[in-house]
Amino acid sequence: MATTAINQSVEKETYLNAGYGLKSWLLTKDHKRIAILYLISITVFFAIGGFFAMLIRLELLTPAGDLVEADTYNKLFSMHGIIMVFFFLIPSIPATLGNFLVPLMVGAKDLAFPRINLLSWYLYIIGGTMALVAMFMGGVDTGWTFYTPLSTEYVNTNVIPVALGVFVAGFSSIFTGLNIIVTIHRMRAPGMTWSRLPLFIWSHYAASLIMVLGTPVVAITLVLAALERAFHIGIFNPQLGGDPVLFQHLFWFYSHPAVYIMILPSMAVISEIVPCFTRKRIFGYEFVALSSIGIAVLGFLVWAHHMFVAGISVYAALVFSLLSYLVAIPSAVKVFNWTATMFKGSISFETPMLYAFGFIGLFTIGGLTGLFLANLGVDIHVHDTYFVIAHFHYIMVGGAIMGYLGGLHFWWPKMTGRMYPEAWAKLSALLVFVGFNLTFFPQFVLGYMGMPRRYHAYAPEFQVLNVLSTAGASVLAVGYLFPLFYFLWSLKYGQIAPNNPYNAVGLEWMTQSPPPAHNFDKTPVVTWEAYDYENQPQEEVPVV
Ligand code: HEM
Ligand SMILES: [Cu+2]
């Protein structure tokens, strides 16, 4: 009896043991717990989306496509895309790492609106459940883009419930963005000026602007499509005076910026990892910070590059082509500055840094092939081919997911109080990188050779590259499964994490691991510049 009492009083208070039982989690207003709720739920969605991906790749193992019927195949790639984009990639970093870290990094007790934060998670779960139920009741086969008139007039699958599921989840994204913006404006600790904010915060600020300004547009667009489908109100139907291409404008007005909702938070992670593992102040802090805002603003001006062959005027196409090239500039600024930071730094190759390298390489390939697509002539040749598939997977899987995994490893000790097993993590980072390239690089070639996207069968001459791609996907899948196991393992058996295992700078490392429910014992006062690695006392902290 007496010993238990002593042990309990010795056990440090953390956000994890601040309350027990399911109810204390489901009704929590602590941003850190909500982050964990998101982490668990988006992992489930990632697994479902990944399962569909494997079925797609298995179908494409043979030219005749012997696994499923054409109709089923249409549903597979539609549901894969819808789940991955709306229920995994968009919430991935902002709702998990962002939720967990934004208040810690600015020195606040919580996000500005804790109850709305919890509501966001419920909206995400409700939207996701609607989509999943509809998928298992027969699915949807319009592609993740829901293009009209296909979605409104022709198909008879579950367009309405899935579109409404995405609509509901949209509110989750809007509220998360709002919460992050207000927290950054109003709740910074004394001395945490805008020019001292971690770049993680700048990137999340920019991504949140897009969430708040863009999401309402796609939400209303999906409602209009649902209304059109149910009541033929004539917004998108030319026979009733509507315009089917209008749907594409509205859809891409959100969905191009949405790709930056996925990639900016990933850049946020890389901007933290690179200085830490090179022990240097980031090169050109102001440029990296402002490039995030530049990406967010320019990202809204390029949507019609998805519509070069949809019947827009050549003048409009020229303008959108030019603007698309401009977006490459702020992205290139970031890549340049990360690389310059590494120059002559003492680089240590731990797992988060391996993911950062992976991100920079793959994002560069993804971004450069975007320039090919922004070229009007080239786009006509490769539009709707596997070249486009490879391009956006390099950005979204090679970029966004690399950043997400790198960030999860980097902050895992802070979130859970345990270290992950470094050797296993390195092995899985290697598998992810090799598997990824083997999966998607052949698709650039396939697209260039003319293999169209969204077909369940193909000409025999494309088979070799497709087999390579499917083999790569299997390696990738193993690479993704590893962390699931060793992270869970580490919760019980991992080494106890020190407060600052990487000797990193930043307020989140100055509180205990895992942090107490109220984050900081006393409000921190910031008197130093961001990323001051050169002037930081280099005390020896064990790094595992
Ligand atoms: C930085 C992050 C980027 C992400 C996350 C991204 C993502 C995507 C996605 C998801 C698609 C496919 C949409 C579909 O399903 O049809 C796509 C297509 C396209 N992207 Fe990107 N992209 C990025 C950067 C760029 C850049 C920098 C450019 C131009 C400079 C660009 C130009 C294009 C074009 C022109 C298409 C349409 C191609 C076609 O359908 O023919 N992208 N991108
Ligand atoms: Cu785009």
Side-chain angles (χ1 to χ4, degrees):
M1 259 315 260
T3 39
T4 19
I6 290 171
N7 275 344
Q8 272 168 2
S9 67
V10 168
E11 193 191 10
K12 62 183 179 186
E13 195 224 286
T14 75
Y15 80 99
L16 291 169
N17 64 21
Y20 291 99
L22 199 57
K23 207 174 137 200
S24 78
W25 280 86
L26 293 181
L27 297 179
T28 184
K29 292 186 286 301
D30 184 335
H31 66 104
K32 301 181 287 306
R33 284 193 165 203
I34 296 172
I36 302 292
L37 291 177
Y38 269 114
L39 182 63
I40 297 168
S41 31
I42 71 170
T43 304
V44 171
F45 279 97
F46 183 57
I48 300 172
F51 174 69
F52 287 135
M54 284 316 290
L55 292 180
I56 294 173
R57 278 319 323 164
L58 284 177
E59 168 78 4
L60 296 178
L61 206 49
T62 53
D66 310 297
L67 185 68
V68 294
E69 300 290 313
D71 286 344
T72 315
Y73 184 76
N74 290 348
K75 290 180 183 173
L76 286 181
F77 74 69
S78 302
M79 298 188 298
H80 163 70
I82 292 167
I83 291 191
M84 286 305 203
V85 171
F86 296 111
F87 299 104
F88 173 69
L89 280 165
I90 288 181
S92 61
I93 300 181
T96 59
L97 296 172
N99 226 326
F100 197 94
L101 292 166
V102 167
L104 286 171
M105 284 185 167
V106 301
K109 277 210 233 2
D110 205 317
L111 285 173
F113 309 112
R115 281 165 209 273
I116 291 186
N117 197 19
L118 181 63
L119 176 66
S120 303
W121 181 71
Y122 277 101
L123 289 170
Y124 167 76
I125 292 293
I126 294 170
T129 310
M130 284 169 71
L132 279 187
V133 168
M135 283 176 188
F136 289 108
M137 279 170 32
V140 65
D141 60 354
T142 56
W144 73 283
T145 49
F146 300 103
Y147 274 2
T148 56
L150 179 67
S151 61
T152 45
E153 305 293 329
Y154 296 110
V155 301
N156 48 24
T157 51
N158 295 293
V159 177
I160 294 182
V162 176
L164 292 184
V166 174
F167 172 80
V168 172
F171 282 91
S172 160
S173 188
I174 296 172
F175 289 156
T176 302
L178 209 65
N179 233 329
I180 291 178
I181 290 176
V182 176
T183 307
I184 295 172
H185 270 276
R186 311 283 307 174
M187 298 176 68
R188 283 171 287 128
M192 182 56 92
T193 58
W194 285 89
S195 61
R196 285 175 177 170
L197 282 178
L199 292 166
F200 186 94
I201 299 294
W202 275 102
S203 272
H204 270 78
Y205 187 79
S208 301
L209 286 178
I210 303 175
M211 294 190 222
V212 172
L213 297 175
T215 317
V217 179
V218 78
I220 206 71
T221 309
L222 291 174
V223 170
L224 287 177
L227 287 174
E228 178 86 347
R229 187 175 165 80
F231 305 114
H232 306 284
I233 51 178
I235 299 215
F236 302 122
N237 182 349
Q239 281 167 341
L240 301 168
D243 179 1
V245 178
L246 174 64
F247 178 89
Q248 294 190 31
H249 281 291
L250 293 171
F251 181 84
W252 288 112
F253 181 80
Y254 165 78
S255 294
H256 184 84
V259 302
Y260 297 108
I261 300 180
M262 306 165 198
I263 210 73
L264 278 165
S266 203
M267 294 167 150
V269 170
I270 306 306
S271 294
E272 299 300 312
I273 291 177
V274 167
C276 175
F277 290 92
T278 44
R279 320 279 346 143
K280 276 177 68 188
R281 188 176 154 77
I282 191 131
F283 180 83
Y285 169 92
E286 294 79 6
F287 287 94
V288 184
L290 290 180
S291 66
S292 295
I293 307 295
I295 288 174
V297 173
L298 286 171
F300 273 110
L301 303 179
V302 303
W303 75 88
H305 67 206
H306 296 270
M307 302 166 60
F308 288 154
V309 297
I312 55 174
S313 83
V314 67
Y315 301 105
L318 281 173
V319 170
F320 279 102
S321 171
L322 182 75
L323 289 169
S324 297
Y325 284 113
L326 293 185
V327 189
I329 297 172
S331 309
V333 165
K334 284 195 197 272
V335 172
F336 176 79
N337 284 273
W338 292 322
T339 317
T341 308
M342 289 182 218
F343 183 66
K344 288 190 176 163
S346 59
I347 303 178
S348 60
F349 297 88
E350 280 155 76
T351 310
M353 190 62 182
L354 296 184
Y355 278 109
F357 279 120
F359 173 94
I360 295 174
L362 302 180
F363 175 76
T364 304
I365 296 179
L368 289 178
T369 49
L371 294 175
F372 289 45
L373 292 170
N375 177 298
L376 295 176
V378 177
D379 188 63
I380 288 172
H381 177 62
V382 294
H383 178 81
D384 267 346
T385 69
Y386 265 79
F387 190 92
V388 175
I389 307 280
H391 156 70
F392 70 75
H393 282 88
Y394 262 81
I395 296 284
M396 306 206 299
V397 181
I401 301 185
M402 281 276 177
Y404 176 63
L405 285 175
L408 264 188
H409 285 86
F410 190 51
W411 284 289
W412 187 255
K414 182 54 65 187
M415 296 170 82
T416 64
R418 299 280 183 164
M419 301 303 293
Y420 58 84
E422 185 67 38
W424 285 102
K426 279 191 173 141
L427 176 64
S428 100
L430 187 74
L431 288 178
V432 167
F433 187 79
V434 172
F436 173 84
N437 282 294
L438 193 56
T439 309
F440 294 107
F441 201 84
Q443 298 183 3
F444 281 124
V445 185
L446 280 171
Y448 180 75
M449 285 163 65
M451 177 168 160
R453 64 194 282 199
R454 297 178 168 162
Y455 281 69
H456 82 299
Y458 53 80
E461 65 257 35
F462 299 135
Q463 186 170 15
V464 174
L465 289 167
N466 271 296
V467 170
L468 274 184
S469 182
T470 302
S474 317
V475 177
L476 187 58
V478 175
Y480 284 149
L481 281 174
F482 269 28
L484 190 65
F485 290 112
Y486 64 69
F487 275 145
L488 285 174
W489 175 90
S490 79
L491 291 179
K492 203 161 158 54
Y493 304 106
Q495 244 178 308
I496 303 282
N499 292 347
N500 187 358
Y502 313 102
N503 207 2
V505 299
L507 287 180
E508 82 271 28
W509 302 107
M510 297 171 74
T511 181
Q512 68 181 39
S513 302
H518 52 276
N519 288 354
F520 298 98
D521 288 330
K522 36 184 207 307
T523 309
V525 179
V526 182
T527 54
W528 55 87
E529 302 303 312
Y531 306 105
D532 202 1
Y533 277 99
E534 280 97 342
N535 299 318
Q536 196 211 13
Q538 300 283 315
E539 75 258 55
E540 276 300 306
V541 179
V543 176
V544 190

